[in-house]
Amino acid sequence: MNEYCIYLRKSRADVEAEARGEGETLRRHRNMLMELAKKQKLNVVKIYKEIVSGDSIAARPQMQALLADVTDGKYTGVLVVEIERLARGDTIDQGVVAQAFRESSTKIITPTKTYDPDNEFDEEYFEFSLFMSRREYKTIKRRMQAGRLASVKEGNYISTTAPYGYRKINPEPKVHTLEILPEEAEIVRLIYNMYLEGRGAKYIANELNRMGISPQKSQYWESPSIKKILANPLYCGKVGWKTKSNGDTLYKGLHEPIISEETFEAAQHKKKTNPSAQLHQNDKLLNYYHNILFCKNCGHQLKRRFIASSGHEHMLCAYRECRGRTVSSTIEAVDEAVMAAFRYRIKQLEKLKRKGAAEEIVQPDKKAPLMAELEKSKRQLARLYDLLEQEVYDTNTFLERSKIVNERIGTLEASLRELESEQKPPQLSPDEAIKRLQFVVDNFDSADAEEKNRLLHTVVRKIWYAKTQRMCKNKPDSDLTLSADFL
């Protein structure tokens, strides 16, 4: 039986109509297309509902999923209220859409016309419709950009979120500006004062964290957030408009400044004439666990740092959220643990060789339960269509219930595709693995940093590091554990 799907997406005009109280657009369109499917006796098996706003295909996940399924030849046709819903972005996006439907011979069915890509005249009409849609879209976009620029020139703040130190307000219709948050504003002034006194962004972030002050959207300050505040002219009362050709153009904002223009300009001058020194020199590799050793708790790479209190180089997780959860170890302790893991791996492989068996890892069958659930969901969907045809369900009830089933089917099919695409990387033969591991164990101590890194890459993909207990007199034993993804 031929299968069809429905694609739903709001236009900007729909959003404006909803704001005027004209009803929920996607529900109305869905009912319209389901009635069309019922009238033409089309078997609709899936509804793609775009709930995010985006001009390009890259910003529309449901459109990406639809094009992937269309390219695979999954559907005989796609129902849509009008051609413009498929692609109104740039020429490349429209070409991608046209090519997907043309090469898969997938029809486009609207309430007014059915477009058959195998029909030369329909194909030309389809491409012409996309072209006209593109022209209209560009005209609307130019008009909107001109309106936004005019608003900025009047001093309005038109971004969606307010920067640290402010909140968005609308004191009058069509007036969008900012209001100072006194406590946060004091922190902004403190940041500028510390910077002009010679403190760097890293120092300022650490000092704010020590004082227990949190930024807007995270628990801790980081140096990029400090640099962003120091470079933002909003704090001296300006609003900006950015263009590709001229960069940022500043206008006097309606909002009250937190710092003076003189303070802001002094910070910009200091940044240009006295930049922060590089803390790391990349001309020579020092951390031979680079791209090898990762924190098991957060997944970030471990860093090599000299700890003055111990007088030793340590491997540590520098990610702030991991502090207190993952404890550092001396690099000597890590080396010892890594070599011990390699020796144990050699013994395992030699034992397997003596038994004459290849290393096997028994994996549970993840595909079977998904397949069974998928078949069950498809039978359930078939029963829903029967109830619709028997008029036991009205259209709205059918859509609500079939939506749930279709989403479940889509999720199950995606999970199955992911399982099928997963392929275990090729494993070295026991002989080759033993040979490489033994070579690393024998030569690791005498190699320099770069050679050590190369040696490690010949036997492992990643090593996962875990340690939660600090060494002390009462707890002399370390809970350092490593797990390696061997080649």
Side-chain angles (χ1 to χ4, degrees):
M1 189 179 195
N2 292 331
E3 295 184 343
Y4 295 79
C5 70
I6 289 174
Y7 178 73
L8 303 170
R9 181 176 74 89
K10 291 180 185 179
S11 67
R12 189 170 285 108
D14 295 331
V15 176
E16 294 171 356
E18 288 180 4
R20 295 193 298 269
E22 296 183 14
E24 205 277 316
T25 303
L26 294 189
R27 181 182 296 276
R28 187 172 67 252
H29 287 176
R30 185 178 59 186
N31 292 342
M32 180 193 308
L33 294 176
M34 282 303 297
E35 287 294 333
L36 177 64
K38 187 176 181 180
K39 182 179 179 181
Q40 297 189 16
K41 297 181 179 179
L42 304 178
N43 180 32
V44 175
V45 298
K46 189 169 183 178
I47 298 176
Y48 297 82
K49 183 178 179 181
E50 203 77 72
I51 60 175
V52 297
S53 176
D55 294 330
S56 66
I57 292 175
R60 291 155 56 191
Q62 289 297 306
M63 189 62 194
Q64 295 172 35
L66 172 65
L67 288 178
D69 289 340
V70 166
T71 302
D72 291 341
K74 190 173 181 180
Y75 305 117
T76 303
V78 176
L79 284 75
V80 63
V81 292
E82 57 189 3
I83 290 290
E84 289 79 1
R85 306 285 164 163
L86 293 174
R88 204 175 189 178
D90 58 27
T91 307
I92 295 176
D93 278 0
Q94 291 184 346
V96 169
V97 172
Q99 182 179 5
F101 281 88
R102 181 174 59 251
E103 293 187 353
S104 62
S105 298
T106 304
K107 296 178 181 179
I108 300 172
I109 303 162
T110 72
T112 57
K113 180 176 174 58
T114 296
Y115 299 85
D116 185 349
D118 291 335
N119 183 299
E120 180 181 351
F121 297 103
D122 280 357
E123 182 184 3
E124 290 180 358
Y125 195 88
F126 171 59
E127 292 178 351
F128 177 73
S129 298
L130 290 180
F131 170 74
M132 293 304 295
S133 172
R134 171 65 180 162
R135 288 192 62 184
E136 182 184 1
Y137 163 78
K138 291 179 71 173
T139 301
I140 293 172
K141 192 170 183 179
R142 282 197 298 268
R143 192 182 303 128
M144 289 182 62
Q145 288 293 88
R148 289 168 63 86
L149 176 57
S151 182
V152 170
K153 286 181 177 180
E154 293 172 358
N156 284 287
Y157 178 78
I158 62 173
S159 297
T160 54
T161 58
Y164 184 84
Y166 288 103
R167 71 180 182 93
K168 291 185 67 176
I169 59 170
N170 300 96
E172 299 176 17
K174 297 185 178 181
V175 174
H176 308 277
T177 186
L178 300 167
E179 182 179 64
I180 289 179
L181 297 175
E183 291 183 1
E184 292 186 1
E186 285 302 316
I187 305 305
V188 172
R189 297 186 186 102
L190 177 62
I191 289 171
Y192 273 87
N193 289 339
M194 284 196 290
Y195 183 70
L196 292 175
E197 288 172 359
R199 305 298 187 182
K202 183 70 174 177
Y203 175 90
I204 296 171
N206 290 337
E207 188 66 14
L208 294 178
N209 292 330
R210 186 189 64 78
M211 295 165 65
I213 299 168
S214 299
Q216 279 180 333
K217 298 180 180 179
S218 62
Q219 189 175 357
Y220 301 104
W221 288 93
E222 301 284 356
S223 55
S225 302
I226 302 298
K227 292 177 182 178
K228 189 174 181 180
I229 287 176
L230 291 169
N232 194 341
L234 271 167
Y235 294 112
C236 68
K238 304 291 185 180
V239 290
W241 181 261
K242 189 172 185 177
T243 60
K244 293 182 179 179
S245 56
N246 299 323
D248 287 330
T249 303
L250 299 179
Y251 303 93
K252 181 175 175 55
L254 298 174
H255 62 285
E256 182 182 350
I258 292 177
I259 60 171
S260 66
E261 288 189 40
E262 291 75 16
T263 299
F264 180 77
E265 291 301 328
Q268 307 319 300
H269 179 74
K270 180 180 183 299
K271 185 166 59 175
K272 291 179 181 178
T273 58
N274 188 23
S276 300
Q278 286 292 111
L279 299 178
H280 302 285
Q281 295 183 0
N282 297 319
D283 55 335
K284 187 176 180 181
L285 179 67
L286 296 177
N287 178 18
Y288 45 82
Y289 286 109
H290 174 68
N291 210 25
I292 288 286
L293 193 61
F294 294 81
C295 176
K296 191 172 183 179
N297 182 60
C298 69
H300 287 74
Q301 286 197 55
L302 267 66
K303 305 295 183 182
R304 179 171 174 163
R305 295 285 188 272
F306 177 76
I307 307 298
S309 58
S310 68
H312 291 278
E313 295 276 356
H314 281 238
M315 296 304 299
L316 58 84
C317 181
Y319 188 54
R320 191 176 300 278
E321 299 293 336
C322 227
R323 291 183 183 177
R325 298 181 182 179
T326 301
V327 177
S328 69
S329 293
T330 64
I331 198 161
E332 293 84 2
V334 174
D335 289 347
E336 183 179 343
V338 169
M339 291 302 108
F342 288 0
R343 293 187 188 98
Y344 180 72
R345 176 69 171 174
I346 292 171
K347 290 181 179 179
Q348 279 186 315
L349 293 170
E350 288 175 340
K351 185 177 180 181
L352 287 168
K353 280 184 63 180
R354 287 195 298 271
K355 289 182 177 180
E359 183 177 8
E360 293 182 1
I361 301 174
V362 179
Q363 296 279 4
D365 187 359
K366 298 179 181 179
K367 191 173 180 181
L370 291 176
M371 290 290 293
E373 188 63 26
L374 181 60
E375 289 302 318
K376 178 181 175 182
S377 299
K378 287 183 176 179
R379 289 195 299 271
Q380 185 179 356
L381 185 60
R383 287 197 297 272
L384 289 176
Y385 274 102
D386 290 339
L387 292 171
L388 178 64
E389 292 175 2
Q390 296 166 16
E391 297 185 353
V392 176
Y393 285 167
D394 59 19
T395 302
N396 289 337
T397 304
F398 168 80
L399 288 172
E400 289 173 0
R401 300 191 180 186
S402 64
K403 176 186 175 184
I404 297 172
V405 179
N406 275 310
E407 288 177 350
R408 187 186 309 137
I409 290 174
T411 301
L412 290 167
E413 289 176 338
S415 299
L416 284 168
R417 286 195 297 270
E418 185 176 346
L419 278 178
E420 291 171 355
S421 64
E422 287 180 355
Q423 292 183 349
K424 188 178 178 181
Q427 200 86 5
L428 292 175
S429 67
D431 286 333
E432 179 64 22
I434 291 171
K435 179 181 176 182
R436 291 191 188 186
L437 285 163
Q438 192 62 57
F439 185 83
V440 174
V441 170
D442 293 341
N443 294 277
F444 191 78
D445 289 340
S446 60
D448 62 18
E450 292 187 358
E451 180 64 14
K452 285 181 178 179
N453 184 256
R454 190 192 68 78
L455 288 171
L456 291 169
H457 276 289
T458 64
V459 292
V460 292
R461 297 181 184 89
K462 288 184 177 181
I463 298 175
W464 300 100
Y465 171 98
K467 184 182 178 185
T468 58
Q469 296 180 5
R470 297 185 182 277
M471 299 292 288
C472 61
K473 293 182 180 179
N474 297 329
K475 291 183 179 180
D477 295 329
S478 171
D479 69 337
L480 168 63
T481 58
L482 301 176
S483 54
D485 180 11
F486 287 99
L487 292 176

